[in-house]
Amino acid sequence: MTPPRILVARNIFPEVVERLSQHFDVESNPEDIIWTPAELAERVKDKDGVLTTGSQRVDAALLAAAPRLRIVANMAVGYNNFDVDAMTAAGVQGTNTPDVLTETTADFGFALLMATARRVTESEHYLRAGKWNRWSYDMFAGSDVHGSTLGILGMGRIGQGIARRGAHGFGMNVIYHNRSRLSPELEAECKARYVSKEELLRTADHLVLVLPYTPESHHAIGAAEIAQMKSTANLINIARGGIVDDAALAQALKDKRIAAAGLDVFEGEPKVHPALLEVPNVVLTPHIASATVPTRLAMANLAADNLIAFFDGRGALTPVNRPAPKRA
Ligand code: DGY
């Protein structure tokens, strides 16, 4: 029997590609070329499975070009690059990589919160530019983290990880808003109190966004929401670009409508709204919240495990949809 044909759409750990090669006929992308949708469609037309990284769009057009395709394994917990309905209709299984990145991403959420509140990158740029020639009492004075109010919008696993760090590590008063409320046990563990979105916006000193990107969450934070925040508040986005209206945020930062922002994700990334590059009170990082070597390796291995389990008949380990089985 010929092994299933798999496309690994971006360059990933060679040892994971090697692992896949022990099970499948693999085409990989070691030069890490960013294929256009047409180039990707050309490569998937004879494939049974694809490993994507979150930057390849899997939509009806791609699926139409891939009559044999049965599974797409995303190496990311977020899967807004999937048109899940189109995949389900086409009988294509989708999978993601939950859990393995939770703590690492929560660590980074906290790192970005701290860097934003304490103006770490802004002050480093000042120092590197040779501008530091005297101490002054208000130089880069920021906002406190300990004892302040941490607001979390989106209370999945990563949101809960951030809540635990804030409540137990920094004595923060944690409030959250989510589509559904946590169980009383989880609320107690996270020391988090459920509030309306309005109360969250009005009372958080540090507002962290950890919700999935969907049509409903598009521009969940725009000019009207920023207007409700404290003028001393910091906004942190480690979720997805598009949840924040970046143009409105840049204007609010310029006007000092809020104190500062920390952004790991951007609308239309890797492009960054030019106005964000002009304001000093924002910490900008290139979508690295899950980027530690062990976590990225665990994500790649979980995507590979999904492909292996699917084709050996055990079924996808972390499915995001339940398509009717496609005829081989
Ligand atoms: C994820 O896993 O969704 C992260 O954003 C990395 O892409």
Side-chain angles (χ1 to χ4, degrees):
M1 231 179 62
T2 54
R5 292 183 187 155
I6 300 292
L7 178 70
V8 179
R10 291 291 305 274
N11 188 34
I12 61 165
F13 295 89
E15 59 267 45
V16 179
V17 178
E18 172 53 33
R19 229 186 112 213
L20 286 168
S21 303
Q22 289 164 16
H23 300 262
F24 306 118
D25 179 359
V26 176
E27 178 181 344
S28 61
N29 182 3
E31 288 170 354
D32 207 25
I33 297 162
I34 310 287
W35 292 319
T36 63
E39 288 167 340
L40 183 61
E42 180 58 29
R43 281 173 176 81
V44 297
K45 69 180 187 202
D46 61 345
K47 300 298 186 297
D48 303 290
V50 182
L51 190 154
T52 50
T53 61
S55 48
Q56 296 78 47
R57 180 99 191 115
V58 180
D59 56 12
L62 187 80
L63 295 166
R68 297 168 55 116
L69 190 63
R70 294 175 62 202
I71 176 168
V72 184
N74 220 26
M75 185 186 143
V77 65
Y79 51 90
N80 53 301
N81 57 316
F82 287 179
D83 180 337
V84 175
D85 291 343
M87 290 171 73
T88 305
V92 173
Q93 178 69 67
T95 65
N96 67 341
T97 57
D99 300 324
V100 293
L101 48 59
T102 300
E103 298 304 326
T104 293
T105 306
D107 282 350
F108 186 82
F110 231 86
L112 197 51
L113 186 160
M114 300 279 289
T116 303
R118 298 304 307 274
R119 305 176 66 177
V120 172
T121 57
E122 194 187 347
S123 58
E124 185 186 350
H125 289 148
Y126 175 88
L127 181 150
R128 283 182 186 271
K131 295 179 183 168
W132 185 32
N133 50 26
R134 54 189 284 179
W135 179 93
S136 63
Y137 79 97
D138 59 350
M139 191 169 67
F140 296 105
S143 34
D144 270 327
V145 174
H146 72 275
S148 65
T149 296
L150 170 62
I152 302 175
L153 186 57
M155 199 60 157
R157 288 164 283 222
I158 297 169
Q160 292 164 35
I162 291 170
R164 279 195 295 270
R165 281 161 178 75
H168 300 289
F170 289 82
M172 296 171 91
N173 164 38
V174 181
I175 54 177
Y176 76 98
H177 183 74
N178 196 41
R179 267 177 313 186
S180 47
R181 197 169 162 170
L182 297 183
S183 66
E185 294 74 28
L186 269 180
E187 282 191 352
E189 198 185 308
C190 297
K191 285 193 172 176
R193 185 168 65 85
Y194 182 83
V195 295
S196 66
K197 186 176 171 187
E198 291 67 33
E199 185 175 345
L200 189 81
L201 292 169
R202 268 193 295 105
T203 54
D205 294 310
H206 308 277
L207 177 60
V208 183
L209 309 180
V210 210
L211 64 170
Y213 183 60
T214 62
E216 294 73 46
S217 64
H218 180 72
H219 286 188
I221 302 293
E225 288 73 20
I226 294 169
Q228 296 176 58
M229 294 173 67
K230 292 181 178 175
S231 59
T232 50
N234 298 307
L235 175 69
I236 312 299
N237 187 8
I238 57 164
R240 277 289 181 274
I243 292 175
V244 173
D245 177 343
D246 285 350
L249 175 62
Q251 189 61 48
L253 291 169
K254 191 171 170 204
D255 298 344
K256 302 216 167 42
R257 185 53 215 85
I258 58 172
L263 306 175
D264 186 48
V265 288
F266 305 88
E267 285 189 283
E269 63 184 51
K271 290 204 178 85
V272 175
H273 194 293
L276 284 172
L277 300 173
E278 299 300 321
V279 282
N281 46 342
V282 59
V283 179
L284 306 167
T285 53
H287 202 147
I288 57 168
S290 64
T292 66
V293 176
T295 291
R296 285 281 162 88
L297 183 58
M299 291 164 70
N301 270 316
L302 179 52
D305 290 342
N306 268 304
L307 291 165
I308 294 165
F310 179 83
F311 283 109
D312 74 15
R314 282 176 291 152
L317 305 175
T318 51
V320 302
N321 64 343
R322 303 215 170 274
K326 192 170 182 173
R327 279 198 212 142

